[in-house]
Amino acid sequence: MGYIKWDRFSDIEAFTTTRQGGNSLPPFDTFNLAYHVGDNHADVLKNRQVLYKDYKIKPLHLISAYQSHGTTIAKVSSKHYGSGETAYETGIPADALYTEEKDIALGIFHADCVPVFLYAKKEGIIGIVHAGQTGTLKEVTAIAIQHLIDFEGVDPKDIYAHLGPSLTFSHNVIDEETKKKIIAMGPDYVFGLKETNGQTFLDVPLLNFLQLRAKGVPAVNITISDYCTFENKDLFFSYRRNNLTGRQMSVIKFK
């Protein structure tokens, strides 16, 4: 089971890799796609070659992000071929990528963060957002949607989104300072806080859902994965669970 797919549309391919079916040794076993976590470079390259073959992707055409938990949005074109292919640092410095070109696959890395897949079907634009807790509190998903509205003329009602496998709130305890920041973001964000037995938990996928809704994406256009990266240790890497571990890759491309 190498991939968890978002298969709502027949004209795109969107998926999150699992940790199964690769070449990496513990603690990166086995299908780690990230160069920057301490894994053997040759093993990561072998894993990527499996991915290229499985989805018929030309190696230079899988363009990945050099992530910083920020809010930079980057439009990707053929001039970016090769970005991130041989080293993490050669990826595009952004936490959200999008393109309208048919021969490009976009990828982000994550272990517990939320991968947000985007498809503006009417306008022919695909995108992907790396939305960890830090980026989510900076409203990276909302900023990405606003960027598509402002710079690409996208109607948010035409946007479809899927939140892929990530850390669920039951494994995400936050401190009082973080809680106060979230409350200050507005009353809707309070729904992302859940309290029990003196602890506060944060639902990061829900906050991204709320950001999509606030920008006008219809609720019926949004789906959320049932998979928790922490709980499914045989399927997913989890930084919260293991710290030193590999990374899933979430990828979106046109067929």
Side-chain angles (χ1 to χ4, degrees):
M1 191 176 185
Y3 308 97
I4 305 296
K5 300 177 183 179
W6 178 39
D7 55 4
R8 184 168 185 171
F9 300 97
S10 61
D11 53 343
I12 65 169
E13 291 180 307
F15 58 88
T16 297
T17 62
T18 71
R19 68 184 303 168
Q20 298 178 343
N23 299 278
S24 296
L25 300 175
F28 311 107
D29 49 319
T30 58
F31 199 37
N32 168 49
L33 278 301
Y35 291 121
H36 65 286
V37 295
D39 194 1
N40 180 276
H41 191 280
D43 289 339
V44 177
L45 181 57
K46 289 179 184 177
N47 293 339
R48 290 195 177 200
Q49 288 170 342
V50 172
L51 174 61
Y52 299 150
K53 181 179 178 181
D54 286 347
Y55 281 92
K56 298 180 175 143
I57 299 171
K58 299 171 186 175
L60 291 175
H61 294 209
L62 176 56
I63 296 169
S64 57
Y66 179 37
Q67 301 156 195
S68 64
H69 296 278
T71 60
T72 300
I73 317 300
K75 185 174 185 178
V76 178
S77 69
S78 57
K79 71 180 181 181
H80 297 107
Y81 283 161
S83 297
E85 184 201 7
T86 59
Y88 180 59
E89 295 77 12
T90 65
I92 296 177
D95 281 84
L97 306 175
Y98 74 96
T99 190
E100 55 194 5
E101 296 191 16
K102 305 300 182 183
D103 202 20
I104 286 176
L106 305 174
I108 60 155
F109 304 98
H110 56 101
D112 289 316
C113 300
V114 183
V116 183
F117 299 89
L118 301 174
Y119 183 31
K121 185 173 177 60
K122 184 178 178 181
E123 291 82 6
I125 292 173
I126 55 173
I128 194 159
V129 182
H130 167 245
Q133 180 169 307
T134 300
T136 296
L137 296 182
K138 294 177 181 177
E139 301 191 298
V140 62
T141 296
I143 291 169
I145 299 300
Q146 192 62 52
H147 182 99
L148 293 178
I149 295 169
D150 292 343
F151 294 95
E152 302 296 340
V154 173
D155 185 338
K157 294 185 178 63
D158 296 328
I159 295 176
Y160 293 84
H162 177 67
L163 311 184
S166 65
L167 185 73
T168 53
F169 75 87
S170 58
H171 301 287
N172 193 19
V173 179
I174 61 171
D175 58 26
E176 190 66 22
E177 182 179 354
T178 303
K179 175 183 173 181
K180 289 179 181 177
K181 288 180 181 178
I182 294 165
I183 292 173
M185 292 176 70
D188 285 347
Y189 287 84
V190 177
F191 290 113
L193 300 173
K194 306 172 194 298
E195 298 190 42
T196 184
N197 296 327
Q199 290 185 309
T200 303
F201 301 82
L202 178 61
D203 193 333
V204 176
L206 178 58
L207 292 185
N208 282 280
F209 174 86
L210 293 172
Q211 288 179 28
L212 290 164
R213 292 289 296 119
K215 290 299 177 182
V217 179
V220 295
N221 288 12
I222 307 169
T223 52
I224 303 175
S225 173
D226 293 328
Y227 284 104
C228 172
T229 49
F230 185 97
E231 292 179 1
N232 294 279
K233 65 180 180 180
D234 292 334
L235 279 179
F236 302 109
F237 302 109
S238 169
Y239 182 83
R240 181 65 58 91
R241 186 183 62 236
N242 298 119
N243 194 263
L244 182 61
T245 191
R247 295 293 186 273
Q248 284 81 238
M249 194 174 194
S250 283
V251 177
I252 188 167
K253 63 184 282 287
F254 290 104
K255 285 188 177 178

